[in-house]
Amino acid sequence: EVRLVESGGDLVQPGGSLRLSCLASGFSFKENVITWVRQKPARGLEWVSTIYSPSTSTYYRYYADSVKGRFTISGNNEQSTVYLDMSSLKSEDTAQYYCVTRPFCKERQCYANVDEYADWGQGTQVTVSS
């Protein structure tokens, strides 16, 4: 059974930083992509970032333009954990953040399509406000 547990959400001031964690189990990091998706208040789901790790020393990372240069996705295969380090946070980053996974696909239109993900965590809330 696939299980994804997010943590780390908090209230942070604009310009601040935050680290989200996703503890994953029930699937192989070598066979799946792991993605962060967010849902802003009264808005639809938005793809944020994806990581794929075919080996313990190899990571492929992809980002939405809205977060590129500010967010960093990383993984620790031994601890079965994926992180999202967020910096220079803006009010528009306020959202519920979800960790999701699906079998590997290499095309952007696949891994960035939130409708393609069947396995979701419960989410963690990030609020950026002064």
Side-chain angles (χ1 to χ4, degrees):
E1 178 188 3
V2 173
R3 190 159 186 251
L4 302 159
V5 181
E6 303 96 331
S7 61
D10 205 346
L11 170 64
V12 62
Q13 292 189 341
S17 300
L18 204 59
R19 165 174 269 201
L20 305 184
S21 300
C22 172
L23 179 61
S25 61
F27 63 93
S28 169
F29 276 34
K30 295 180 181 180
E31 297 177 2
N32 277 36
V33 298
I34 301 174
T35 290
W36 287 97
V37 173
R38 67 185 180 187
Q39 184 163 27
K40 300 179 181 181
R43 300 279 293 276
L45 294 165
E46 177 186 5
W47 173 72
V48 175
S49 182
T50 294
I51 190 168
Y52 172 58
S53 178
S55 70
T56 56
S57 59
T58 303
Y59 296 91
Y60 297 97
R61 302 176 177 87
Y62 310 97
Y63 300 95
D65 289 343
S66 58
V67 306
K68 195 175 296 181
R70 299 188 300 121
F71 290 10
T72 301
I73 193 169
S74 62
N76 185 317
N77 291 21
E78 288 80 6
Q79 296 182 1
S80 298
T81 303
V82 170
Y83 303 99
L84 186 68
D85 288 294
M86 306 183 293
S87 62
S88 302
L89 283 163
K90 307 174 183 179
S91 58
E92 51 262 43
D93 294 317
T94 294
Q96 183 83 349
Y97 284 73
Y98 297 93
C99 179
V100 300
T101 190
R102 58 149 292 143
F104 169 74
C105 60
K106 63 179 181 180
E107 297 84 8
R108 188 181 181 91
Q109 61 264 33
C110 174
Y111 62 71
N113 183 349
V114 299
D115 293 332
E116 293 290 326
Y117 289 85
D119 296 299
W120 293 64
Q122 83 289 349
T124 187
Q125 178 66 35
V126 173
T127 302
V128 184
S129 175
S130 55

